[in-house]
Amino acid sequence: MSSHGADLTPEQQGLRDQLAEGYNLIGKSPVKVDGMAKSMGQTQFADDLSMPRMLHCKLLRSHIAYANIVSIDTSKAEALPGVVKVITGECMPTPFGILPVSQDEHPLCIDKVRFVGDPVAAVAAVTEEIAFEAIQLIEVEYEKLDPVFSPAKAMDNKQEPLHDYGDDGNVHKRVSMEFGDVEAGLEEADLVLEDTMFFEGNTHLPMEQHASLAFREADGRLTIKSSTQTPHYLHKAMSKVLDMPPSRVRVIAQPNGGGFGGKSDPFNHEMCVAKLALLTGRPVKVALTREEVFYCHRGRHPTLMNIKTGYKKDGSITGMHFQSLLDGGGYGSYGVASTYYTGALQTVTYKVPKYRFDGVRCFTNKPPCGPKRGHGTPQPRFALEVQLDKAAVALGLDPAEMRLKQLHPAGGITANWLQVGSMGLGPCIEAVVEASGWKDKWQNLPEGKGVGLACSSYISGAGLPIYWNAMPHSGVTVQLDRGGGVAVFCGETEIGQGSDTVLAMCVAEVLGVDLTDIRLTVADTHTTPVDLGSYSSRVTMMMGNAAFQAAERAREVVAKAVAKRLEIPSVRLRFADNTVFDVQDPDNAVPFAKAVQWAEAKYGTIAVAGSYTPPVTPGKYRGAGVGPSPAYSYSAAVVQVDVDPETGVVDVEKIWVAHDIGQSINEMLVIGQVEGGVYMGLGEAIMEEMAYRPNRFGVHKIPSMLEYKSPTTHEMPPVETFIIRDPDPNGPFGAKEVGQGPLLPMMPAVANAVFDAVGVRVDEIPVTPDKVLKALHAKDKRYGPSKYPDLKITDTVRIKTLEEGGDGTAPRPAKKKKEVSS
């Protein structure tokens, strides 16, 4: 090994001795101080030990779905040359989780593993290969437990509960809410339809796997750079788990190569590299394999649904009872919110005067489910839009015309107390109907070809933060420099959706400067104001409003100074083209940089802040925290398919999609997001599923991109996109969300198109060839679940609707003592 020992200062020599002695670089091999050579067996490590060398981390994961941990022997791994540190669950006994009500995960399992892939030990070594070799040397003794692999089995509660905090054993969450008298509404109907449908789980499949790098700063602070969507919440969880003051923990979110919700939880590997960095004093990196990403999961919940709806002859809805049963996997994640979301947004597209929702989420011994693009809403949207298509056919109505007549009014309040703002769904439907030739094609194409229509809505950010408090959801600071540059600081996280560009454009538009003069510092918990993260399509709405406010405050300071110099009222000043000028005399102008200098001379350094908190929502009942949003986006799509009745193969020939964006801030980004959502929705519609091997309990059937089927360019059809502008008063420049909403209509539109093509109903996602063939040969020309289990609802929160004179509140029912399950 090369040496620079003669050049070392005494301080460097001491550090090097510590490294050699304390960090076990050489295992049991001897150290030869002369020349600083180190005998490492067959492995040579050429390094200057005066600088801490980065270590690599690998996690040992359980190969058993459910078991008690009897013992863990790490001695062989620790003796392997090149291994620096091995840790197990006892190193970090404090639990964590994304929701305050589901703090049920440990960085490494302490007493029990709950799914195949649950981590039990972590190794830091000088190379990734050695770390991988080391985890295979760790010996874990397990005591197998009877696993739970289905919600039906979980509700039986005959197995040992995965956790001790669920509503009822392995029932994680059970909710029931009724708005108005639904039974009375159903009795008013001319047609009552009841359908049971299933939406299979699937995963995010980002191009970039999870990765993190943690290191200890010279002052003892911990820094972690991670591919996270939520640096603020990771910071909160990491401070708790490591028992460090938040001011001593720094999280920097790296630009993500895709997230889609899969990187919005705090994760085990992030905690482990942070702990290892603290213990070793060296940078520690982890990069998950694709298979490990499947284990982390947090993807779409498999959901069994039952929807019972009453319709008048004109297609208007008289009442709806929606039930959902979610397979949650091994941990809570966002699951409580996911459960509520499966019942929240059915009311914001069409008028539903009376509405009831029952939802149950169960723990099972599978990788935990969580928030995937659309979080909890694609499953019920599929059920609702397919049933609407059935109702239209049964009533002899055009599905498009039927929907247009039942739209929820803009500015109204839904039965479940959601405040609708701008509502551009009507123009969305009209755009895709005209462009696709719907009226000529529906029920008129040759056998095997068909068109299907579906609509959707999604939130522009959640109305409440994950940890309820009165603080802003997003903050932005703007600093002006004398050269005309603008420094912008915000905690927002770029995950490929273009949020950095939107942030810069919002500030540049207000100040009238060029984008190239904007400098961004983002997603750093030490240097930027808090933004809660890139989830729930919240960033443009909340960050954009905060940026708008901060930029306006900076503009006011500059305008006041310029108005005094030019001796005109500040209301006559405009900021554009890097110039501040008098609108009544445009030649009376000053360069923006000079204007900033005048302002700084008069008022001092110009640094201002803006923030955003969503408006108060009208719902005050238990459960009203999920669903409210400053604004709702709307989408409509028509899909044309060609179905082969011999093979059941569904070929999607073309898609027409319209999205109510409110106002485009960057139209190219908007179209990219719309068509990205279409692509992801198409994959869920026809092929993607999170499958497990039937004879290998809890083992993934397809944990790789070779077998997990996702559309390629071959399957992606032409897409014609329409941007509908209906500015919302709550949005920055009138903008609303676009990142998630356009995905939602894809799945029901495909299913409805298959019916139009070959006359069969596939009431299950994905719509695969085998299901189409089974439906073609079935007596009722249908494929899907036939029975719905009893959700064992005992308490229903009843809330009066606005039409009934309600005020959005409901008495909290007395908490019943839990019965011991037999």
Side-chain angles (χ1 to χ4, degrees), residues 663-682:
Q663 176 63 49
S664 293
I665 291 177
N666 183 310
E667 187 149 312
M668 184 170 66
L669 288 177
V670 169
I671 293 173
Q673 285 291 294
V674 170
E675 296 183 359
V678 167
Y679 161 81
M680 186 170 279
L682 180 62

Side-chain angles (χ1 to χ4, degrees), residues 717-796:
V719 178
E720 194 170 341
T721 302
F722 301 89
I723 304 303
I724 305 301
R725 294 169 182 81
D726 184 12
D728 194 280
N730 284 336
F733 307 103
K736 300 194 289 189
E737 82 86 32
V738 66
Q740 306 191 52
L743 173 147
L744 275 67
M746 288 301 108
M747 293 74 75
V750 168
N752 292 339
V754 169
F755 173 77
D756 189 48
V758 291
V760 300
R761 292 288 181 186
V762 179
D763 289 343
E764 186 173 302
I765 291 296
V767 181
T768 52
D770 59 311
K771 296 173 186 176
V772 174
L773 285 177
K774 288 175 181 176
L776 285 166
H777 292 100
K779 289 183 179 180
D780 59 356
K781 298 299 178 183
R782 176 186 178 273
Y783 180 90
S786 57
K787 295 181 180 180
Y788 200 79
D790 180 6
L791 297 184
K792 302 178 182 178
I793 301 296
T794 57
D795 292 317
T796 299

Side-chain angles (χ1 to χ4, degrees), residues 27 42 44 94 99 118 191 251 266 293 325 412 456 473 518 529 551 565 586 596 607-608 650 685 697-698 790 805 821:
Q42 296 182 353
Q44 296 294 321
T94 304
L99 299 185
D118 225 355
L191 171 70
V251 175
V293 175
L325 177 59
S456 70
H473 293 211
I518 304 288
R565 285 291 191 108
V596 171
V608 297
V650 178
F697 292 137
D790 180 6
S821 302

Side-chain angles (χ1 to χ4, degrees), residues 485-505:
V486 180
V488 182
F489 302 83
C490 180
E492 62 88 8
T493 307
E494 175 64 69
I495 62 171
Q497 84 281 42
S499 60
D500 285 358
T501 300
V502 171
L503 174 59
M505 290 185 71

Side-chain angles (χ1 to χ4, degrees), residues 621-701:
Y621 55 89
R622 184 182 64 179
V626 175
S629 178
Y632 298 91
S633 73
Y634 293 90
S635 303
V638 170
V639 171
Q640 182 168 317
V641 301
D642 184 357
V643 182
D644 186 341
E646 297 298 320
T647 64
V649 171
V650 178
D651 179 24
V652 179
E653 296 182 322
K654 188 167 182 179
I655 295 172
W656 297 263
V657 60
H659 183 72
D660 166 24
I661 184 64
Q663 176 63 49
S664 293
I665 291 177
N666 183 310
E667 187 149 312
M668 184 170 66
L669 288 177
V670 169
I671 293 173
Q673 285 291 294
V674 170
E675 296 183 359
V678 167
Y679 161 81
M680 186 170 279
L682 180 62
E684 296 192 33
I686 62 176
M687 63 181 70
E688 293 191 33
E689 56 183 334
M690 199 71 169
Y692 297 87
R693 300 182 186 183
N695 299 321
R696 298 278 303 280
F697 292 137
V699 177
H700 272 294
K701 183 179 180 181

Side-chain angles (χ1 to χ4, degrees), residues 393-427:
V393 171
L395 295 168
L397 302 173
D398 180 313
E401 293 298 327
M402 174 178 157
R403 285 171 169 83
L404 283 168
K405 292 177 181 178
Q406 315 308 328
L407 299 180
H408 197 284
I413 294 177
T414 68
N416 57 335
W417 292 92
L418 301 179
Q419 177 70 63
V420 175
S422 63
M423 210 284 190
L425 182 53

Side-chain angles (χ1 to χ4, degrees), residues 477-481 485-489 511 519 554 596 605-608:
T477 57
V478 170
Q479 179 179 315
L480 308 185
D481 70 49
V486 180
V488 182
F489 302 83
L511 295 179
R519 302 185 305 278
V596 171
T605 300
I606 303 171
V608 297

Side-chain angles (χ1 to χ4, degrees), residues 35-54:
M36 299 309 296
K38 294 189 177 297
S39 172
M40 307 280 301
Q42 296 182 353
T43 307
Q44 296 294 321
F45 300 99
D47 203 1
D48 183 349
L49 293 183
S50 64
M51 293 296 292
R53 179 177 178 173
M54 185 179 76

